[in-house]
């Protein structure tokens, strides 16, 4: 069975992505929680803890956790404060780290739970994933995970997993709440 490393942004997106991966092929799955974009630290811990609770029910999936360092995110985006270029850099950072981790651990394939979100640009993710794969000599597995978004959310609700209200970065938090705070 081929090994695949999946970049995980949060537990609810993993739920949908696992359903999607089942359709794509038979894999031995490992996960990588690498999200220096998340703001603030408490939110990062909350999403990470929720993921830990979720995967504790799936001993067959090993998840690796990379320590939080928001400087990596801010270095990556530079002065690109607005979408879509801010998001492109954010995705590139996380996909490249996943590709690099896969290579270092002899995992030939990788993908991302970002593909399940209806809010992310799938074509751009595909392009960035393939470029990251080329850079590190591993293969990016692309499929339309979005079809499983609703089912993933339903599973998250049933399991009472934390479901965030904003994408992750400080800008997305501001964009989500600024109108409400007026
Ligand atoms: S909105 Fe989401 S994808 Fe875009 S930069 Fe912020 S955290 Fe990253």
């Amino acid at each position: 069975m081929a090994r695949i490393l999946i970049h995980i942004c949060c537990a609810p997106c993993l739920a949908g992505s696992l359903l999607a991966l089942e359709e794509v092929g038979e894999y031995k799955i490992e996960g990588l929680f690498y999200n220096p974009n998340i703001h603030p630290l408490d939110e990062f811990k909350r999403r990470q803890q929720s993921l830990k609770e979720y995967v504790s029910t799936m001993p067959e999936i090993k998840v690796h956790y990379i320590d939080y360092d928001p400087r990596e995110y801010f270095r990556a985006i530079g002065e690109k404060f607005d979408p879509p270029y801010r998001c492109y850099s954010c995705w590139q950072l996380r996909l490249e780290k996943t590709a690099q981790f896969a290579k270092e651990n002899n995992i030939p394939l990788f993908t991302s739970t970002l593909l399940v979100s209806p809010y992310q640009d799938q074509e751009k993710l595909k392009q960035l994933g393939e470029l990251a794969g080329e850079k590190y000599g591993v293969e990016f597995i692309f499929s339309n995970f979005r079809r499983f978004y609703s089912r993933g959310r339903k599973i998250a609700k049933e399991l009472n997993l934390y479901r965030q209200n904003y994408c992750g970065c400080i800008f997305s938090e501001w964009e989500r709440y600024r109108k409400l705070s007026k």
Side-chain angles (χ1 to χ4, degrees):
M1 203 183 295
R3 291 172 75 201
I4 190 167
L5 181 68
I6 184 165
H7 162 257
I8 303 170
C9 61
C10 63
C13 286
L14 178 62
S17 299
L18 289 178
L19 295 173
L21 267 184
E22 269 177 30
E23 269 209 351
V24 178
E26 275 196 47
Y27 296 112
K28 172 140 182 46
I29 300 170
E30 292 186 35
L32 183 73
F33 186 76
Y34 173 65
N35 299 292
N37 53 310
I38 298 174
H39 174 89
L41 175 60
D42 279 353
E43 177 72 17
F44 176 89
K45 286 183 177 169
R46 207 168 173 190
R47 295 187 195 189
Q48 181 172 255
Q49 185 55 33
S50 167
L51 175 63
K52 285 183 177 176
E53 285 165 20
Y54 180 41
V55 295
S56 71
T57 65
M58 295 178 280
E60 70 280 11
I61 298 180
K62 182 177 179 185
V63 177
H64 309 270
Y65 298 88
I66 295 193
D67 288 346
Y68 181 60
D69 184 349
R71 293 173 298 183
E72 293 172 18
Y73 167 74
F74 286 108
R75 276 189 209 113
I77 67 159
E79 293 193 8
K80 297 188 284 294
F81 300 137
D82 299 310
Y85 297 104
R86 177 185 85 213
C87 300
Y88 294 167
S89 296
C90 178
W91 298 334
Q92 183 182 13
L93 172 69
R94 292 184 283 166
L95 290 168
E96 285 197 356
K97 177 69 96 178
T98 309
Q100 183 182 13
F101 190 96
K103 183 67 181 176
E104 288 170 358
N105 290 277
N106 300 314
I107 303 173
L109 310 173
F110 77 107
T111 190
S112 174
T113 59
L114 293 168
L115 292 172
V116 89
S117 169
Y119 305 106
Q120 318 286 10
D121 177 340
Q122 289 223 328
E123 277 310 305
K124 192 69 186 179
L125 282 168
K126 181 171 186 281
Q127 183 195 5
L128 292 171
E130 288 172 352
L131 284 171
E134 275 172 33
K135 184 170 176 181
Y136 289 99
V138 287
E139 185 183 348
F140 181 66
I141 298 298
F142 173 82
S143 177
N144 179 10
F145 288 7
R146 261 186 210 168
R147 291 173 294 123
F148 295 92
Y149 177 76
S150 300
R151 280 173 63 192
R153 292 282 135 176
K154 193 161 174 271
I155 291 169
K157 197 171 177 192
E158 283 165 4
L159 296 177
N160 204 23
L161 299 172
Y162 173 58
R163 283 161 290 140
Q164 62 269 13
N165 291 320
Y166 61 97
C167 187
C169 65
I170 189 169
F171 305 105
S172 62
E173 183 193 33
W174 175 58
E175 287 155 3
R176 171 76 174 79
Y177 292 114
R178 66 182 160 183
K179 288 196 184 102
L180 302 176
S181 64
K182 279 186 183 161

